[in-house]
Each structure stands twice: as structure tokens, then as C-alpha cells.
Amino acid sequence: MKKHTENIPIITNISVEPFFHRELTALFEEADLSVKVIQVPYMEYQNHHDLYAEAKLIFIWLNLDCLMPACGDGDLIFAEKHISEIVLFYQELYRHISKISQAKIIAALFEDYFSHLPIVQGYNNDITVDELNISLQKNLSEHVVFLDLMHIVASIGISNAYSIKDKYRWNYPYSRLLTREVAAEIYKQYLIHIGRSKKCVIVDCDNVLWGGILSEAGMENLRLGSSGLGKEYQDFQRFLLSLYHRGVILAVCSKNDLDDVLMVFREHSGMVLREEHIVCFQVNWGNKPDNIGKIAETLGIGLESIVFVDDSPLEVQAVRAILPEVAAIPYHRERMYDQFRCFNLRREYERGEFEQRNETYRTDRYRQRLREESGSYSGYLASLGMEIGIHEAVPLEYARIAELSQRTNRCTNGKRYSVTDIGLNMERSGSKLYSVYLKDRYSDLGLIGAMEITDDRLTLFSVSCRALGREVERHMIDFLKQWHKIERLDFVDTNKNAYLRNLLAEAFPQIGEDKG
């Protein structure tokens, strides 16, 4: 079956098309997408309505050297007037595109490193480009994702970032290396946009969260603190905490005694992570692959959503061999951070939503105990004291619904939506999108489900794994039966959603199924 090709317009004043097409094509193939780069001359941006309307991602890359006139001595004019003119151009460009399209807009910030003036005047700081970038972000950051080109140039080195030959031959001043880095950032922003990311980090303790072997050295002799040999471990904990605050689930898998590990979390002054940040502890003397499997089962997430960090090469290799879906990373203070690129996290995030979800995971042990003590499954559900709320979705919920559709593999009809997709769908007459909320006696689980109906077709049905086992999906089906006449069903096989297919077939025996 031939893949659908997504066009990626790049609005620019340099010749990017031949250089970017190969790089972006290779990257997007990993997401099973075919893409085509289409260069739009920046002064002709108003002439491409159809291209913008169909695009899901638009990239703006203006080179300052080509954009601004030069002074007689070869220096660029960065008067306040010119900064205002450039910002105004970007604002008009955004307004024009946003009237036509709901595509994700990414723009490269400006850089001025390809200058020969430092040779004669030294490397004294010129803040004018910084002022321009700050002004752009101040005026447009709510609508546009800005790519920090200066940071990319700094990371690969100025001498590696430019090509004099391509500048004068093709009007493309950048090297192949910088091209690959920018393409990788565009691809990453696309993955962030559609919500495709790992969900959980599982970490070992000894020589990962702290230096030393707890069972041998004791808590008082661990290397952990803000200076000296313990600083690398505290820095790693700070990094994990930053992931936690951006929605990543943290769990512990360690060969240790649980009481000893909990004592370190609760009492060691050098700990940045605390017990409340960890949603699941599997601390025992069993093998790591089995314990990782138990964590995945407890959290209701797939193994492909997990990253595992351990200092032992043998443990890392064992997990890779037995659980190949898990991304197993060997702990190394310099080299391991790059391997966390498998996370694609939104810059804007609802901290309350993530804390709500983590509280659900933490309180699951109480639900499990209640289930074991209940005489029957129906008795357990009655004892939970569930409250299910369903209402028409509002735009503030679109990001969460898109994330839910992307990340759910079990109780889903398999449809994957971006925020842009949802916005376009809601513009159609006959489309209804519902948000489903759940809370019980132990915690508020928040927005855990979504349904979309277009005319008589069920186009989206998705329930978070953490809400399964509570008959929520049946309540959602009852709602559909009450308020809609469903004649058709979109369904995409995820290899894990046979349960929902059977449930929907049982509930709506008269409907046909389409592979939407």
C-alpha cells in the first residue's frame, strides 16, 4: 500500500530544499511517514494557500545575512527600526498562515556567527541579535515553536556549522552537519506535537541514584551530595526530577532490601528525589527483567514506553535480551544523557495533570487491597465509589485528548490524533468530541477517556490504561447508545486492542467496521 506523502513547507530566503529533503525523509520514515519538502520564497508566502491548508507542520527559516542590508564597512545594520520590521513581518506571516491552517509552526531563531568581523574587532558581545530573538519570542511564543539555532551551532562548533562553498554556489551557508541537526530538531518537534514519547524511567539505586552499595556500605557511607564524588548522582536525580515535573513516570527497580532503600529516600540529606516522586518500588533480590515486567503491569503501560537505567552492563544486557522493547541505558555520567533523546516532552505542560496521574498510580495499592478484600468484582466496583463525568470537549482539553489517542494501545479504536487534527475535525458539522473524567474514593484520575462521533460514525474511542478494570468503557458505550445512532466504526488494529473490538461488536452488532 502506497504511503500518503505529507508536504512540509519551508518558508525561507536560502536554498534549503535539496539539502533538507534527504535528511527529513530519512527521519520521518522512522514514524512510517513519507514527507516532501517544498521551499516557499519568503516574499511569496501569501501565494500558497492550499499548501498551508493541507500541511501539519510548517518551518520558517530566514537567514539574517540574506535578509538585512549591509553597511559600507560590511557590518549589518541592527537598528531598533529593523528589529521592529522583522518582528512585524513574522507577525503578519503568522496571521496569514493561521487563517488558513492549523499546522504546527516552527521557526528558526537568528544567529550571526558566520561573520568575519571578530577577526579585526575581537569577540566582544553584540547583543542586537539576542534582542531580535527575544523580541520574536516575546511577541509570538504562544503560537510558534522557536528553534534555537545559536544553541545548535554552539553544540557542533562554529567551524563545523557553515559551508562557504555552498553559500556562494547554492545560497545555502550551512554545513551538512548543521542541516542534520536542524532536521532532527524539526522531527523531534513533530513527535512532541503528536505526543509520541517514552512514558516511564525505571532506575536502579546503587551507583545510579547514589554512589556505593547500600547493603555493604550503609546509608551513612553513600556518595551523594552537592559536591565531590556524590555530585554526579545528585545531578542525575535533578535531571530525573525535571522529567517527573514534565509528566514522566519514575519507578525504582533495585536488588536491595526495601526498608533500607526507603530509609535513604526518607532520611538522606543529599536526596533530591523523595518517596512521593516514585510511583512504584520493585526492590527485592529477584531478577531485573521480571521486576520491570511487574512494574509495567502495575502501571498498565507497555514495555515499549519504558526506559531502564542501570550501572551493571550484565543487567543492561539481560534486559535488552529478555525485554527488547525496553530502552536499556547503561549509567555513565557523561555519555548516558544523549540516550534520553527518546523522550519527546512538551515545553508547556499541566503540572497538576501529571501529579494527578502519579497520585493515581501511588494509590493503586489501596485499590488492589480493596479488590482482594471484596467478595466479588461487582462488590469491589461498588466499594470504589466511582464518579464518571462525560461532557463535550473544550479546546483546553484537546492536547490531553491528542496525547491519549497517541499513547493508548489497549482500550482504543486505534485512531491517532494531533491537536491540529482535533481542531480540524471540530470545524466539521456533525462532529462531536467528548471528554471522560473519573474519580473514586482514593483519588481523582482526571481526563481518562475520549469519544468522537462524526455524523453516524464512531471515529475515536480511547480509554487510558490506568482507568481499565473499572468498567469505564462500558459506561462510555452506554452513553453512546443513549445519545447517538452509531452506524459505522473506524478501527485500526494496534495488536493489543482486540478486547475493545469485541466489546464494540457486542454493543453494536449492526454496524460495519472501517479501517479509518
Side-chain angles (χ1 to χ4, degrees), residues 428-445:
R428 301 171 185 159
S429 61
S431 286
K432 291 283 188 181
L433 180 66
Y434 295 100
S435 299
V436 183
Y437 284 77
L438 173 67
K439 62 181 178 180
D440 62 23
R441 62 186 289 183
Y442 297 112
S443 68
D444 186 342
L445 282 74

Side-chain angles (χ1 to χ4, degrees), residues 244-263:
Y244 168 86
H245 285 312
R246 285 161 178 80
V248 176
I249 305 165
L250 302 183
V252 166
C253 177
S254 176
K255 290 181 178 178
N256 260 304
D257 291 322
L258 178 59
D259 289 342
D260 292 343
V261 168
L262 291 177
M263 181 173 64

Side-chain angles (χ1 to χ4, degrees), residues 190-258:
Y190 172 80
L191 294 178
I192 292 171
H193 181 50
I194 66 173
R196 185 174 299 182
S197 178
K198 300 291 186 182
K199 297 180 181 180
C200 175
V201 179
I202 301 176
V203 291
D204 184 24
C205 292
D206 294 335
N207 293 314
V208 175
L209 293 183
W210 52 70
I213 308 298
L214 177 59
S215 61
E216 297 175 1
M219 184 177 75
E220 63 279 4
N221 294 315
L222 296 177
R223 298 189 300 277
L224 179 62
S226 57
S227 62
L229 296 176
K231 182 168 176 53
E232 68 170 274
Y233 303 105
Q234 192 176 82
D235 285 347
F236 183 52
Q237 288 194 33
R238 291 186 191 282
F239 176 71
L240 292 175
L241 186 61
S242 70
L243 298 184
Y244 168 86
H245 285 312
R246 285 161 178 80
V248 176
I249 305 165
L250 302 183
V252 166
C253 177
S254 176
K255 290 181 178 178
N256 260 304
D257 291 322
L258 178 59

Side-chain angles (χ1 to χ4, degrees), residues 2 34 95 156 169 175 326 422 426 479:
K2 188 176 180 181
S34 173
R95 280 194 291 268
I156 65 176
R169 178 176 292 181
S175 69
V326 173
I422 294 173
M426 290 303 96
F479 177 89

